[in-house]
C-alpha cells in the first residue's frame, strides 16, 4: 500500500512538472511522509527549516492523479500564503475555512487544479464538500478578511480538504516567514514557469529583509529542540481523555566558544554576551573563552554571568582550532557548539566529532571576499557585517 501511495504521489508531481512547473518544483521541495496522524494531508515546518507534508496512505489512494494534483497545489498554497503562522486568537474552524477560501476561489472558477484535456473543467476531489467562496464575495481577499466576513455571515461553508492542526509551530513569525521566502526562491531558481503573483508579493516583501544574526542563532538552537509525550498536555490531534500531547524539553546543552582576542572590540563582546543571555531561556550553556590559548571555562552559564562571574582575560592572538581540540580532549560533550569570532583566525581542518557546530563571524562586508572570513566545510557559518 505504501509503495502504491508513493508511486501515485510521484506520478502526480510529474504531472504538475509537465503542466504547471512552478507547482511541480514546489512539490519537489517538500518532504513527503506517510502518517496515521492525519486522515488526509497536512503541511508543516520541521527541523532544519524544511517543509513536510504528512499524508494518509488511504486518502492518497482514494484520489485519481488530477484530484491528487489539486490537493498538492492546495498544500503548497498553504505554505506560500503563510497560513501556518497566521494563527491568532480566533475561531479555528472559521479561520481554517477562510484560509481555504483564498486558495480555492469560486466553485465556478477554481484558482488551482488541472484538467485532463485543455478547456475541460478542473478535476476536484470532494467538490461538493470543500470550502468555496460564496458567489457574491470578492475572490481576492486575504484569509483575515474572509475570516471577518465569516464571523458576521454564518453560512454552510463546507470543510477543509486537509488537516490544519499540523500547522502548529512555536518558532518566531519572522523566522517562518524567512523559511517561506527561502522556499519560494528555491522553487524560482529551479523552475522556468511564471511565478504566481501572490508568490512574488511575498518574496518582494521579505527579500530585502535581513534576518538578524541573533535570530539565526536562536533558530540554530531551536532546531535542537526535543519533545516528549506527556499526559499533562492534551493531544491536539486526538482530543480524547488520556491521549498524551507533546511538551518541549528545555535541556539542550550548548557549548559556546568566545574569541576574546585583541581584535574583538569590547562593544562586540558586550552585544554577543547580551544575546547569550537570551539563549539561556532555550538551552543550558557552557562557556569557553579563548584567544591564542585557554582563558577560562564556565559550566552552566547563566544570564548576566558575563558581568559578574566571567573574567575577560586574554586579548592576544586568535586560534579557533585549539578550543575544539581542547573540548574533545576534555571529553566535554554537548548538543551543539557555537563559535563567536571576528574571523581573524585559523580553523581546524576537520572536526572529529558529529556535534553540530556554527560559527558567528563578524567583519566588514567589503572584506568578505578576501578569504579571511572563510570557514571550514564542517562548520555552518553566519557572516555578520557592521
Amino acid at each position: 500500500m505504501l509503495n502504491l501511495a508513493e508511486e501515485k504521489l510521484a506520478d502526480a508531481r510529474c504531472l504538475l512538472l509537465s503542466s504547471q512547473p512552478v507547482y511541480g518544483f514546489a512539490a519537489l521541495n517538500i518532504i513527503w511522509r506517510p502518517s496515521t496522524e492525519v486522515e488526509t494531508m497536512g503541511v508543516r515546518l520541521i527541523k532544519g527549516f524544511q517543509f513536510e507534508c504528512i499524508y494518509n496512505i488511504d486518502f492518497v489512494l482514494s484520489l485519481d492523479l488530477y484530484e491528487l494534483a489539486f490537493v498538492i497545489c492546495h498544500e503548497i498554497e498553504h505554505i506560500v500564503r503563510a497560513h501556518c503562522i497566521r494563527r491568532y486568537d480566533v475561531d479555528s474552524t472559521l479561520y481554517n475555512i477562510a484560509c481555504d477560501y483564498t486558495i480555492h476561489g469560486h466553485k465556478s472558477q477554481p484558482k488551482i487544479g488541472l484538467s485532463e484535456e485543455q478547456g475541460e473543467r478542473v478535476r476536484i476531489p470532494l467538490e461538493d464538500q470543500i470550502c468555496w467562496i460564496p458567489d457574491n464575495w470578492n475572490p481576492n481577499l486575504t484569509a483575515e478578511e474572509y475570516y471577518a466576513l465569516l464571523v458576521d455571515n454564518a453560512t454552510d461553508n463546507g470543510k477543509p480538504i486537509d488537516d490544519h492542526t499540523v500547522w502548529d509551530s512555536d518558532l518566531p513569525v519572522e523566522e517562518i516567514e524567512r523559511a517561506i521566502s527561502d522556499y519560494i526562491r528555491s522553487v524560482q531558481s529551479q523552475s522556468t514557469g511564471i511565478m504566481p503573483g501572490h508568490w512574488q508579493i511575498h518574496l518582494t516583501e521579505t527579500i530585502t529583509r535581513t534576518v538578524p544574526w541573533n535570530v539565526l542563532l536562536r533558530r540554530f538552537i531551536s532546531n535542537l529542540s526535543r519533545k516528549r509525550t506527556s499526559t499533562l498536555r492534551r493531544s491536539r490531534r486526538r482530543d480524547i481523555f488520556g491521549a498524551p500531547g507533546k511538551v518541549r524539553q528545555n535541556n539542550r546543552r550548548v557549548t559556546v566558544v568566545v574569541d576574546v582576542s585583541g581584535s574583538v572590540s569590547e562593544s562586540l563582546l558586550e552585544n554577543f554576551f547580551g544575546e547569550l543571555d537570551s539563549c539561556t531561556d532555550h538551552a543550558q550553556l557552557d562557556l569557553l573563552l579563548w584567544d591564542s590559548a585557554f582563558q577560562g571555562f564556565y559550566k552552566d552559564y547563566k544570564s548576566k554571568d558575563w558581568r559578574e562571574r566571567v573574567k575577560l582575560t586574554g586579548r592576544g592572538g586568535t586560534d579557533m582550532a585549539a578550543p575544539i581540540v581542547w573540548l574533545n580532549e576534555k571529553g566535554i560533550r554537548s548538543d551543539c557548539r557555537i563559535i563567536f569570532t571576528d574571523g581573524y583566525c585559523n580553523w581546524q581542518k576537520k572536526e572529529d566529532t558529529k556535534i553540530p557546530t556554527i560559527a558567528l563571524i563578524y567583519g566588514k562586508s567589503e572584506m568578505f571576499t578576501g578569504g579571511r572570513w572563510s570557514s571550514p566545510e564542517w562548520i555552518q557559518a553566519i557572516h555578520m557585517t557592521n
Side-chain angles (χ1 to χ4, degrees), residues 235-248:
S235 171
R236 294 172 62 89
R237 300 185 179 92
R238 299 181 61 216
D239 192 16
I240 59 175
F241 180 76
K246 297 285 186 179
V247 295
R248 184 174 297 278

Side-chain angles (χ1 to χ4, degrees), residues 8 11 15 50 55 74 96 144 170 202 206 234 236 250 258 267 287 305 329 360 363:
K8 198 164 193 177
D11 289 343
L15 178 62
Q50 294 180 297
Y55 61 90
H74 178 101
N96 289 339
E144 291 74 24
D170 56 6
H202 183 96
T206 57
R234 201 162 186 169
R236 294 172 62 89
N250 191 32
V258 177
S267 61
L287 175 65
D305 272 0
E329 289 178 347
L360 304 172

Side-chain angles (χ1 to χ4, degrees), residues 38-54:
V38 296
E39 294 182 0
T40 53
M41 278 188 182
V43 285
R44 60 188 176 190
L45 186 63
I46 61 172
K47 181 179 178 180
F49 285 79
Q50 294 180 297
F51 289 98
E52 177 186 63
C53 181
I54 58 176

Side-chain angles (χ1 to χ4, degrees), residues 257-317:
V257 179
V258 177
D259 177 355
V260 291
S261 63
S263 59
V264 179
S265 68
E266 295 286 348
S267 61
L268 182 55
L269 281 173
E270 185 171 334
N271 289 339
F272 183 69
F273 279 115
E275 180 55 33
L276 281 189
D277 287 347
S278 68
C279 290
T280 58
D281 294 334
H282 307 285
Q284 297 172 329
L285 303 183
D286 294 332
L287 175 65
L288 175 61
L289 304 182
W290 207 280
D291 56 2
S292 59
F294 175 86
Q295 297 299 334
F297 181 73
Y298 301 86
K299 191 170 180 61
D300 294 325
Y301 176 91
K302 299 294 189 299
S303 178
K304 308 300 182 183
D305 272 0
W306 64 279
R307 294 184 182 274
E308 301 172 359
R309 178 184 170 202
V310 175
K311 295 180 180 180
L312 295 176
T313 58
R315 317 305 285 158

Side-chain angles (χ1 to χ4, degrees), residues 21 48 51-52 57 66 68 71 78 84 97 107 123 139 148 171 182 222 246 290 316 364 383:
F51 289 98
E52 177 186 63
I57 293 174
Y66 291 87
L68 186 54
V71 181
H78 276 319
C84 53
I97 292 171
K107 187 175 181 179
R123 294 273 288 278
L171 294 173
D182 290 345
S222 69
K246 297 285 186 179
W290 207 280
K364 295 180 180 179
H383 293 276

